[in-house]
Each structure stands twice: as structure tokens, then as C-alpha cells.
Amino acid sequence: MSEASSTATSKPARRVLLAVSGGIAAYKAPELVRALVRQGQTVRCALTRNAARFVTPLVLQTVSGHAVRTDLFDAEQEGEIDHIALADWAELVVVAPATADLLAKLAHGIADELVSTLLLATRAPVLVAPAMNVHMWDHPATRDNVALLRARGVRFVGPEAGFLACGWEGEGRMAEPATIAAEAERLLGAPTLAGEVVVVTAGGTREPLDPVRVLANRSSGKMGFEVAAEAARRGAEVVLISGPSSLATPAGVRRVGIETALQMRDAVHAELARCSVFVAAAAVSDFRPAMPAKQKIKKEALGDDGGLVVELVRNPDILAEVGAGDRAAGARSEPKAGEVQQDGRTRRLIVVGFAAESEDVLAAARRKLERKRCDLIVANDVSRSDAGFDVDTNAVTLVWPGGRDEALPLLPKRAVAAQILDRVEQIRGAR
Ligand code: C5P
């Protein structure tokens, strides 16, 4: 019986891809696989050609219980699981050991063999355990690559200081397999939202003025995408309803692309019957041109210096509809919005809204909380340059019913997403 199938665990298995590159520390990879399998994770391994000189695929196959991939273009291996499917399969990618060469490839988007291609293709978080000679680790090129990767959200564990296999002493030794496995477990997080269906709206909507011009806003979608990614990491089924955005769809998330507020509303309503947590992070246009022109509006047709007056009509407030339990006509036989059928019981939907304001932030957020009947409003001051639109950090205040406010410090949007979902779990626990 393989190591993998002999391990009993009560937690659902998480999917870890272990990428091994060609350093002497690769001999510790089987021990790392065993540590991950003991946690209850499902582990698949991919090796660079040089890694396979230090550790045999057969050993890793035996301890992981899965065929090991070593070659990008091997038809048999691609038939088992193709490399894109493998990159998509992973909920976490652990690179151990990570050589200086592999870090450079990852930092610069080089995909010239199996492992570097997997790292470019995956949307899962990446945990890197570097291992190399102390001078290679200290080299400015490696330092710059590490800084670049850290800034992009790649996590590092180690390297540690000590005697190195190359004979030198210093920083460069791979972290112990038990340390790497513990960090992996922490990053995977507990599946605390398993069983929940989380619907997140994100990004800005675009309202057509004519076939080429739109009324849009500055939302990048980053905050909503982070909430969706974090909910998926916590084991929820996640639907991300997003306006146009160049951001990659987070791993394990179903994305529904929309353009206009009316399309977003339809997409939300289509998911409501199953949704148990609704997070409205989108910047929805409050107005749309009443009559978008069928052809491109030509300035010549407006006279020499004639202006253009566009009549705008109100868009529906999607969040307020969900909060109020209002539904599109024709869907009334299903559970009302604001309610979820679970285990034969009716349970209220958890509704989280956002309030991006440039003045009187908290007072405006409180009015929204009440008017849109939310369980929580995430308020942010968009007049700050380090919070709000198109930046990676956000400084928010959580506004609760009953007059309580909770100000969070300036945090990466990923950490803000985690804080929001912690509160969602708290609301669920209190019911
Ligand atoms: O009223 P305001 O647009 O400031 O409210 C912001 C909150 O309401 C956000 O959560 C946003 O996603 C949501 N909203 C919505 N539909 C609209 C306008 C805002 O869902 N038409």
C-alpha cells in the first residue's frame, strides 16, 4: 500500500503540487512529500531534468501515490494529466528546493521546461524553499529576483544558515521538510467555508454610450478578486461576477464576465438560489445612458463646437435588492433572496457590502448598511493614495449594525479579504 493511501485523516485533502528543481537538497523531497501526505494533502510531483538526477521519480511516485511528471512534451505523461490541467489542479504549489536558476525563471516569466511552465501557468499561491550556495543566494541578481517575487505575493520559507553541501557555510540551506510542510499547511488554511456558496461581484461596470464609447469607473477589481481567492482557499464554492478586468481568475473560482450593471444584476440573480454569502465589491455604475446610440456619435453632427447632452437613467442597486430579498419577477417560487435553503431549514444569506467614499466615510457607510440591509459594510476612504482603487493595499473600517466600527490598519488587499471572511465566519457562527 502506498504512503498516500495508508494515511487516514478527517480533514478534506488539499491539492499540493510539489515542484522540485535540480539542487542537492532535492534528496529531501520524498521526506517533504511524506510530511504533506501525513497532513492529509494530495500531493503530485513535477521534476526538472536536473532534479531527476538527485532524486528518482520512482521514489516520489511511491511516497505520493501518483505518477510523477518530468517532461513537458512526453506524450504518455501528458496523457496522464496535461501540464495545464496539473497547473490548474493545484491549490498550492510548493517549490522545494528552488534553485537560483528556477527563481530567475519564475521572476522573469521564462517557461522553457516542465517546472517553469507549470509555475507560469498556475494561478495557485506559490511557496518557495530556496536552496543554493551562499554566494549565489547573496548575488544581487538573486536578491532582485527574490524581491520581485515577494512583491508579487510569492511566499518564501528559508533558506536557513548552516553548513552547505558545497562546503561553504552561510545562508542557503533549504528549510527542513517539516518546516516547509507546516508553512504549506498554514497557507492552505483550514477549509472553514466548505459547504458555502460565495458569490462575489467585482470590478467596474461599463455602460455603452454608443458602439465604441462607455461610461466606466476606476475600479480594478483587485479587492473582489482577493475576496474570491480567499473564499476558494477556505473551501467555499465561489462565483466571481466581474466587470472587464485583466486580472487572472483565482484558482478554484468560477468567473462570470459581464459589462453592464443590468448584466451584473442578471448574473447575480441567476446564482442567488444557491448563494449563502454575497459580497458586493463591484463598483456598479449608478446610471446608464438612457438610449445608447446605435452608431458611433460623430462630433461633426453636433455642429462646430456643439456639446453633447446625454440623458442617464438609474441602474438598479444590486446589493440593495439582495439585502431586501427582492427578486426578479418569475423566480418567486424559489427561496427568496436573503434566504438560503440548507439541510431543510431556511437560513438568512450573509450580505457584505462595500462603501467607497471620499468624505464622511463612516456616516455614509452606516447609511448604506441600513438602507441596503447588509450584515457588514466595508468602508474605505478613496481619497487616500494607498487605499481604494487600483492599489494593492487597502485601509478599511468594518461597519457593523448597532453602531460598532472596527478600523483595520493599512493591509495588503489579500489580508483585508481574509479579515472580511473571518467576520463572515463570525456572523455565521453567531446564527
Ligand atoms: O451606493 P453605493 O454605490 O456607494 O454602494 C456601494 C455598495 O453597493 C457596493 O457594495 C456596491 O457593490 C453595491 N452596489 C450595487 N449596485 C449598484 C450600486 C452599488 O450592488 N447599482
Side-chain angles (χ1 to χ4, degrees):
M1 188 187 272
S2 77
E3 171 100 11
S5 55
S6 66
T7 304
T9 171
S10 54
K11 279 192 299 179
R14 309 297 296 276
R15 301 181 303 272
V16 180
L17 171 62
L18 174 62
V20 186
S21 59
I24 175 66
Y27 83 90
K28 292 184 180 173
E31 209 183 319
L32 175 55
V33 174
R34 290 181 57 139
L36 291 166
V37 168
R38 267 199 298 272
Q39 287 174 0
Q41 326 299 4
T42 303
V43 184
R44 286 178 178 268
C45 300
L47 276 69
T48 63
R49 276 179 191 282
N50 285 335
R53 294 165 175 237
F54 290 102
V55 58
T56 70
L58 186 61
V59 174
L60 292 172
Q61 178 175 316
T62 308
V63 289
S64 69
H66 290 280
V68 170
R69 289 220 44 174
T70 52
D71 200 310
L72 186 55
F73 299 114
D74 183 292
E76 205 174 305
Q77 291 186 7
E78 279 288 290
E80 174 89 18
I81 179 165
D82 76 64
H83 64 279
I84 296 298
L86 183 56
D88 286 342
W89 170 88
E91 290 177 273
L92 175 71
V93 180
V94 179
V95 191
T99 58
D101 175 66
L102 192 66
L103 291 179
K105 284 181 181 166
L106 182 56
H108 298 283
I110 295 169
D112 61 349
E113 48 73 61
L114 174 71
V115 167
S116 52
T117 304
L118 287 168
L119 288 170
L120 202 58
T122 192
R123 288 164 298 156
V126 176
L127 173 66
V128 161
M132 64 195 75
N133 164 271
V134 57
H135 302 131
M136 291 169 87
W137 176 247
D138 281 340
H139 195 286
T142 307
R143 294 271 133 184
D144 286 353
N145 290 334
V146 169
L148 196 59
L149 292 170
R150 278 191 205 278
R152 279 190 208 143
V154 171
R155 307 302 178 93
F156 280 75
V157 53
E160 292 170 357
F163 285 105
L164 306 177
C166 56
W168 286 90
E169 196 184 341
E171 226 180 329
R173 206 168 68 180
M174 188 174 85
E176 287 306 318
T179 311
I180 302 171
E183 188 57 16
E185 190 174 35
R186 199 183 68 74
L187 285 181
L188 280 165
T192 43
L193 286 176
E196 304 293 341
V197 180
V198 177
V199 176
V200 181
T201 66
T205 55
R206 293 210 295 211
E207 308 294 338
L209 273 161
D210 68 16
V212 286
R213 302 181 182 97
V214 293
L215 198 64
N217 63 65
R218 294 177 53 207
S219 171
S220 63
K222 280 181 184 158
M223 193 60 243
F225 275 59
E226 289 292 1
V227 171
E230 179 64 21
R233 280 194 289 275
R234 294 181 185 209
E237 179 184 334
V238 185
V239 185
L240 174 63
I241 301 171
S242 173
S245 167
S246 56
L247 297 173
T249 308
V253 168
R254 176 159 63 89
R255 179 173 179 170
V256 180
I258 54 86
E259 290 234 349
T260 66
L262 291 179
Q263 289 168 352
M264 179 171 274
R265 178 210 214 185
D266 285 349
V268 167
H269 283 218
E271 303 296 338
L272 268 186
R274 296 184 57 242
C275 165
S276 58
V277 178
F278 180 66
V279 181
V284 185
S285 174
D286 289 325
F287 301 94
R288 66 178 182 278
M291 300 272 283
K294 292 216 165 31
Q295 305 299 335
K296 185 180 170 191
I297 301 167
K298 293 198 166 49
K299 55 182 174 297
E300 296 79 12
L302 301 169
D304 278 349
D305 46 16
L308 174 66
V309 176
V310 179
E311 189 195 344
L312 301 176
V313 290
R314 279 294 276 265
N315 269 329
D317 189 318
I318 303 164
L319 176 59
E321 286 181 356
V322 172
D326 197 4
R327 297 211 58 178
R332 304 238 175 249
S333 56
E334 295 169 29
K336 278 178 32 180
E339 289 177 356
V340 202
Q341 293 286 346
Q342 209 171 51
D343 304 330
R345 293 181 301 129
T346 301
R347 196 156 70 79
R348 232 177 71 69
L349 179 67
I350 296 173
V351 180
V352 179
F354 278 71
E357 302 291 338
S358 55
E359 56 181 350
D360 289 336
V361 180
L362 293 186
R366 188 153 299 291
R367 282 196 299 275
K368 271 175 204 162
L369 179 86
E370 279 154 25
R371 191 167 60 77
K372 306 194 188 203
R373 299 201 215 166
C374 298
D375 296 288
L376 182 66
I377 283 269
V378 183
N380 63 325
D381 182 346
V382 289
S383 64
R384 287 175 60 147
S385 60
D386 53 2
F389 292 130
D390 221 15
V391 288
D392 292 324
T393 49
N394 213 352
V396 303
T397 300
L398 305 178
V399 178
W400 294 87
R404 187 159 68 87
D405 299 337
E406 209 184 329
L408 302 181
L410 183 70
L411 291 169
K413 283 184 175 168
R414 179 176 169 146
V416 175
Q419 294 277 344
I420 293 167
L421 291 176
D422 283 352
R423 301 315 183 280
V424 165
E425 289 176 17
Q426 197 179 315
I427 295 167
R428 185 184 59 176
R431 284 188 182 162

